[in-house]
Amino acid sequence: MIKSLIRTTIRIDNNLKTRLQLLSIKNNISFNKMIIYLLELGYNTYIEKFDDYYKSENNKLQKEGNKNE
């Protein structure tokens, strides 16, 4: 299996970049690993909220279905 790298470009302002660099130094990890960690954290939070939204929508539809019967 050939492992390939995926290159991405993230445009962030200097203030945010500086805060991320300081945070990565404080936690003793590299800047790239800090960005990856924050992206994964944001993605997981998004998925949780997305799942909660659809659970609540399903509950609403089930309640409406029960009222119509």
Side-chain angles (χ1 to χ4, degrees), residues 27-66:
N27 291 310
N28 198 25
I29 61 174
S30 72
F31 180 70
N32 287 338
K33 286 184 181 180
M34 177 58 72
I35 289 178
I36 291 169
Y37 169 74
L38 292 172
L39 288 172
E40 288 176 354
L41 183 65
Y43 176 75
N44 289 335
T45 304
Y46 171 78
I47 291 299
E48 288 172 4
K49 289 182 179 181
F50 189 75
D51 288 342
D52 290 341
Y53 170 77
Y54 277 103
K55 284 179 187 176
S56 66
E57 289 297 313
N58 283 337
N59 289 338
K60 288 179 187 176
L61 290 173
Q62 287 176 354
K63 287 179 184 177
E64 288 178 5
N66 290 338

